[in-house]
Amino acid sequence: MSPIRKCSRNRCQNPAVATMTYGYDEATAVIGPLAPVPQAGALDLCKDHANSVTVPVGWQMVRLQTDFEDAPPSPDDLMALADAIRETSQRDVPPPQPAQREIRRPTADVNRRPHTRPHFTVIPGGDNDDDPAE
C-alpha cells in the first residue's frame, strides 16, 4: 500500500487507504483495502471519503473493511520512488517546440453576408412647453 497514491476525489490530497470498485451488472459498489496497484475504473479513496462515500439509489454498498488505517511507507515504496526520481533525472529534456496556432471557423461565418444595420427614425419630441413643473 503506497502512501504516494492520492485520493481520487476532487481537490482531496490525502493519501489513499481504500479502493472502491463497481459491479455495474449487479449495481454494487465494493470498498476494501487499497489495491496494490491502481486499477482502471476503480477509485482510490482516503480514510474520510472511504467512510462517507454513498452509492446511487438502488445500488448496494459492500464494505470489506471498516477501519481504514494509513499504511506506513515500506522500503519497497521508498525504493520505487527513488528509482523513479533517478530514472527521470537521467532523461534528456527535448527542446521546446514553437506553439502551433490554428484558427477554425464554421463555414457559415465565412459565407454569410454581413448584417445590415437597422434603419432608425428620429421622432422629434421631448420639448414640452406645457410642463407645469417649471
Side-chain angles (χ1 to χ4, degrees):
M1 291 187 255
S2 173
I4 299 169
R5 286 169 45 197
K6 301 288 184 189
C7 182
S8 298
R9 299 300 293 246
N10 289 340
R11 298 185 181 172
C12 184
Q13 294 297 314
N14 294 327
V17 297
T19 298
M20 181 167 73
T21 57
Y22 297 98
Y24 290 99
D25 293 338
E26 300 86 21
T28 302
V30 178
I31 296 181
L34 186 64
V37 294
Q39 299 175 357
L43 296 175
D44 292 336
L45 300 173
C46 67
K47 185 176 184 178
D48 294 336
H49 285 122
N51 289 324
S52 66
V53 69
T54 59
V55 294
V57 174
W59 280 54
Q60 181 180 10
M61 170 71 77
V62 176
R63 291 182 190 270
L64 299 179
Q65 181 177 349
T66 56
D67 295 328
F68 298 108
E69 298 294 327
D70 295 338
S74 70
D76 293 337
D77 294 332
L78 297 176
M79 287 305 296
L81 178 60
D83 291 340
I85 292 172
R86 187 177 307 110
E87 179 184 325
T88 303
S89 67
Q90 294 174 352
R91 291 183 189 165
D92 290 333
V93 178
Q97 299 292 325
Q100 299 293 325
R101 182 173 179 186
E102 184 176 333
I103 299 173
R104 294 179 181 235
R105 289 188 203 122
T107 56
D109 287 347
V110 175
N111 297 329
R112 190 174 56 188
R113 292 175 46 195
H115 292 293
T116 57
R117 295 181 146 227
H119 180 69
F120 292 106
T121 304
V122 177
I123 301 174
D127 294 338
N128 191 355
D129 296 332
D130 299 334
D131 192 7
E134 289 183 10

